[in-house]
Amino acid sequence: MSKILIYLETEDGLLKRTSLEAITCARSLGGEMLGLLCASSSEGVEGAGEYGLSNIIFNKLEDNSNNARAKAIALLAKNENADLIIFAGNANGRDIAPRTSVFFDAGYISDCLNFEEDNGEIIVTKAVYAAKAQIKTKILTEKQVYALRPNVFTAKKSDTVSVNIRNADVELNDTDKKALITDIEKSNGKLDISEAGIVVAGGRGLKDAKNFGLIEGLANSLGAAVGASRAVVDSGWRSHSEQVGQTGKTVSPDLYIAVGISGAVQHLAGMSSSKVILAINKDKDAPIFKIADYGIVGDLFEIIPKLQSQLEQ
Amino acid sequence: MKILVCISRVPDTAARISISDDGKAISDTGVKFIVNPYDEFALETGIRLKEQHGGECVALTVGSEKSQDVLRTSLAMGCDNAVLVKGKKDQDSFSVAQDIAAVARDISPDIIIVGRQSIDYDSMQMQSLLGAMLDMPSVSVVSGLDIEGGSATCLCDIDGGKETITTTLPCVISTQKGIYEPRYPKLPQIMKAKKKPLEIRDSVSTGNRTEILSMEIPQSTRVGKVLSGSDSDIAEIVRSLREDAKVV
Ligand SMILES: Cc1cc2nc3c(=O)[nH]c(=O)nc-3n(C[C@H](O)[C@H](O)[C@H](O)COP(=O)(O)OP(=O)(O)OC[C@H]3O[C@@H](n4cnc5c(N)ncnc54)[C@H](O)[C@@H]3O)c2cc1C
Ligand SMILES: Nc1ncnc2c1ncn2[C@@H]1O[C@H](COP(=O)(O)O)[C@@H](O)[C@H]1O
């Protein structure tokens, strides 16, 4: 039976949703689970109990450095004789996991969409070439590291278990502590598109920056985040942090609403793993309809107000 | 200052792809290959650093004989020389990183610059692999950079905001849109680039750590219910979102 180390993150005193996804995924793989938190405080980590994770190591971190975390995780995984390490593939996870894999002498696969077992081996599905193709791939080394695409593995509670938190320290060298996070600037209270359950995204079909008021109105009424196509970001209508696609962010919300977006492959690369897609476009042949679950063909300026009022009823 | 910029050669994103006969890769026929778009930011950053601080900027790719074209593009943009590591077939990120690390150990760069991710496999791991292999700090997804007196201040895109990371040199960074607008070489530079040195080496990698078992073009499993904008159609879509998909 393999031993799975799950890298956990907390924010505002709670486990991040992406960490709950990682626990759920590890649970489904079977084996012995061990959580690991490398942070300044262990507050909030008890929440793992509801997801069936009882054993957690807390490594109190002195320097805020992902490089330091990467080494600490690898050393602790070795000390604990772990076989697998699972990361949430958010920005931190994708920075840390490959570094950890080298120190842990493990193979690494990023952005995993699905796991299946075949003769005791783990086979991973991953999107490639702007999600135009998918591969099945596996790690050849005994030790393995995986990072999961956020929002693809749905977090599910299990029978609640009691949580034991154990402190553990490791010795790091100077290089591990050289790259320090010295400042963090959160975008002012706005919901980040990569974490939102619903994203309403607007494209060039909106004709003008000021018409994004329509998108914001619909997003507000759904508690959604606002996204944008690159055409809109390049025109300076919206900020780059809202861009969805190959050169922007990858999102997998429960619902993605594409408004006045044609559906270029580079845009699809960032949103095609959304659970449900609704497209609104006046051109019935727009490529976005090929990957949409639901579509409305027509003028967005007429449709959005009607759609919003019906959703609010 | 010695700068090493790593670039990968990838199919143009707009290219239509088909699966090769072995069912594990794409077929190259008729596909246009380009410099990975993020690597244009890496190249521009390397060339700017050289212009600001003096020194030398080297472009490196691990690939086949065909990859000479992307190296010539890098030289035309302003790199001083180029290295092609003739790789083995189908090297994974780990084994490419081993080859890049071997070159880096020879030339001892002050900074290694890679792109945020290659748009073929979207692995997004090279900077961190190289940092670990070379025992150097690594910083991912840098959209702003300031280098002064042996230390680098990097502005990085993270979920829901930005963070500032400071580190000492030598280090590895991966570049993101926003850092510098890539320049486009003009004809005289393209001509000059043909005479710049391009060294060819053999791969020293010890082998892959991952294996691709199969590749396929996914079939859409979407419902595909497309209606008009009439009031009753919109009502039907809202009903579907609520009752069938249960997402609102
Ligand atoms: C290397 C590279 C990377 C790229 N990365 C990205 C990326 O990350 N993200 C991204 O989005 N793009 C990216 N692109 C750009 C991409 O190719 C497209 O150009 C872009 O996505 C188009 O944006 P759009 O759909 O808003 O605009 P358009 O393609 O102009 O589409 C506008 C749509 O609005 C519809 N429309 C117009 N008026 C109305 C109306 N009144 N009512 C309803 N519908 C209307 C039209 O029918 C049309 O389908 C990239 C391109 C390259 C080359
Ligand atoms: N074969 C290669 N040769 C040189 N550099 C590469 C190669 N593959 C990837 N890179 C670099 O690593 C970056 C990230 O790639 P990846 O980790 O594969 O997504 C790319 O943007 C390149 O800068």
Side-chain angles (χ1 to χ4, degrees):
Chain A
M1 197 167 75
S2 55
K3 188 164 182 181
I4 307 176
L5 192 77
I6 307 155
Y7 176 66
L8 303 173
E9 289 179 301
T10 54
E11 191 172 54
D12 306 327
L14 285 174
L15 274 169
K16 284 195 184 176
R17 197 198 54 214
T18 45
S19 292
L20 303 178
E21 292 170 8
I23 300 171
T24 312
C25 170
R27 217 171 64 211
S28 73
L29 288 174
E32 184 189 342
M33 299 197 290
L34 181 63
L36 170 59
L37 180 75
C38 298
S40 54
S41 130
S42 67
E43 191 197 338
V45 83
E46 313 78 30
E50 289 180 32
Y51 292 80
L53 174 63
S54 59
N55 290 318
I56 296 177
I57 302 179
F58 173 57
N59 171 237
K60 192 172 165 74
L61 198 85
E62 283 148 30
D63 306 294
N64 192 5
S65 161
N66 277 350
N67 287 184
R69 287 187 179 89
K71 181 62 123 351
I73 298 163
L75 294 178
L76 289 165
K78 280 190 175 171
N79 288 349
E80 297 293 331
N81 253 316
D83 303 290
L84 263 62
I85 310 178
I86 294 192
F87 286 86
N90 54 13
N92 281 331
R94 293 191 76 172
D95 178 42
I96 300 170
R99 240 185 125 89
T100 299
S101 76
V102 173
F103 297 129
F104 187 48
D105 302 318
Y108 167 59
I109 299 178
S110 62
D111 211 26
C112 303
L113 296 177
N114 186 49
F115 289 91
E116 52 197 305
E117 268 188 76
D118 181 37
N119 268 327
E121 282 186 333
I122 294 177
I123 313 285
V124 174
T125 308
K126 182 179 155 68
V128 296
Y129 296 107
K132 283 183 281 187
Q134 278 190 349
I135 51 171
K136 298 240 193 253
T137 173
K138 69 171 184 187
I139 294 179
L140 300 169
T141 49
E142 209 174 303
K143 306 277 178 192
Q144 312 187 343
V145 177
Y146 300 96
L148 315 180
R149 177 175 292 191
N151 233 335
V152 168
F153 296 84
T154 312
K156 289 194 195 85
K157 290 191 178 171
S158 82
D159 295 340
T160 302
V161 294
S162 65
V163 172
N164 315 302
I165 305 172
R166 172 155 57 91
N167 291 318
D169 267 328
V170 279
E171 200 144 329
L172 302 178
N173 70 26
D174 283 347
T175 314
D176 301 327
K177 301 178 200 163
K178 275 180 182 157
L180 292 176
I181 301 168
T182 49
D183 188 38
I184 297 181
E185 191 191 317
K186 287 267 166 197
S187 354
N188 42 36
K190 268 194 285 179
L191 190 56
D192 189 67
I193 48 169
S194 47
E195 288 162 26
I198 302 181
V199 173
V200 183
R204 188 143 52 194
L206 277 136
K207 305 278 186 303
D208 195 284
K210 64 174 197 301
N211 295 333
F212 256 80
L214 275 175
I215 300 292
E216 282 170 343
L218 180 59
N220 278 339
S221 76
L222 290 168
V226 172
S229 72
R230 168 155 150 193
V232 158
V233 172
D234 285 354
S235 309
W237 301 355
R238 301 300 294 188
S239 87
H240 181 65
S241 63
E242 293 177 353
Q243 183 178 318
V244 174
Q246 191 163 53
T247 37
K249 292 196 169 132
T250 305
V251 300
S252 311
D254 295 330
L255 174 61
Y256 187 88
I257 307 184
V259 183
I261 292 177
S262 59
V265 287
Q266 298 90 350
H267 189 80
L268 304 185
M271 46 66 76
S272 61
S273 63
S274 302
K275 299 205 175 77
V276 174
I277 297 170
L278 165 64
I280 298 161
N281 198 302
K282 68 174 184 192
D283 172 9
K284 69 170 179 17
D285 297 320
I288 190 81
F289 286 127
K290 293 209 176 68
I291 64 143
D293 296 280
Y294 302 103
I296 306 176
V297 181
D299 184 357
L300 70 93
F301 295 99
E302 289 166 21
I303 292 165
I304 298 298
K306 287 197 220 168
L307 179 67
Q308 186 175 333
S309 86
Q310 292 215 24
L311 282 166
E312 283 168 358
Q313 270 165 34
Chain B
M1 184 167 194
K2 205 155 207 178
I3 303 144
L4 178 63
V5 181
C6 306
I7 57 172
S8 65
R9 182 177 186 269
V10 297
D12 192 344
T13 33
R16 283 185 70 96
I17 58 164
S18 58
I19 308 294
S20 67
D21 292 340
D22 71 357
K24 294 184 180 183
I26 60 162
S27 151
D28 278 4
T29 352
V31 176
K32 185 181 159 214
F33 283 82
I34 56 170
V35 175
N36 181 41
Y38 290 107
D39 302 354
E40 294 182 354
F41 300 122
L43 284 165
E44 184 63 37
T45 305
I47 295 161
R48 295 264 181 136
L49 287 178
K50 182 197 122 177
E51 287 167 355
Q52 286 162 18
H53 301 270
E56 185 190 26
C57 182
V58 182
L60 162 68
T61 191
V62 180
S64 67
E65 205 70 59
K66 288 186 189 143
S67 309
Q68 293 205 22
D69 57 357
V70 292
L71 290 175
R72 289 291 167 205
T73 307
S74 315
L75 293 168
M77 279 178 78
C79 291
D80 301 289
N81 50 61
V83 180
L84 166 66
V85 177
K86 268 210 279 186
K88 304 177 177 123
K89 204 175 166 281
D90 303 327
Q91 273 182 254
D92 71 356
S93 296
F94 177 81
S95 77
V96 168
Q98 285 186 315
D99 277 326
I100 296 175
V103 175
R105 283 187 195 102
D106 275 1
I107 67 175
S108 306
D110 298 292
I111 186 164
I112 303 177
I113 310 177
V114 306
R116 181 183 91 160
Q117 70 198 70
S118 340
I119 62 164
D120 48 6
Y121 287 88
D122 288 334
S123 310
M124 209 176 186
Q125 49 174 301
M126 199 54 76
Q127 69 294 343
S128 300
L129 291 180
L130 290 172
M133 287 178 183
L134 294 162
D135 199 27
M136 282 183 193
S138 58
V139 185
S140 304
V141 200
V142 176
S143 60
L145 176 69
D146 191 20
I147 291 195
E148 232 184 81
S151 82
T153 307
C154 310
L155 190 64
C156 305
D157 287 3
I158 52 165
D159 301 321
K162 297 243 179 205
E163 72 188 11
T164 307
I165 295 182
T166 49
T167 183
T168 51
L169 301 184
C171 68
V172 191
I173 65 165
S174 75
T175 52
Q176 156 82 329
K177 189 184 162 94
I179 192 159
Y180 294 111
E181 249 342 282
R183 67 192 69 188
Y184 288 96
K186 303 205 175 63
L187 192 62
Q189 284 133 9
I190 295 171
M191 298 311 288
K192 234 171 84 185
K194 293 191 174 149
K195 296 198 197 79
K196 288 190 183 174
L198 193 160
E199 183 197 339
I200 297 182
R201 298 189 179 203
D202 285 325
S203 169
V204 294
S205 92
T206 57
N208 287 349
R209 284 187 167 183
T210 55
E211 183 187 339
I212 294 176
L213 303 168
S214 63
M215 183 183 287
E216 60 179 39
I217 310 273
Q219 297 304 314
S220 175
T221 53
R222 302 276 176 191
V223 182
K225 183 171 185 172
V226 180
L227 304 177
S228 83
S230 72
D231 288 357
S232 57
D233 279 355
I234 292 178
E236 173 55 18
I237 295 280
V238 170
R239 190 205 59 76
S240 292
L241 291 175
R242 286 202 174 118
E243 293 167 22
D244 305 336
K246 299 191 174 67
V247 285
V248 290

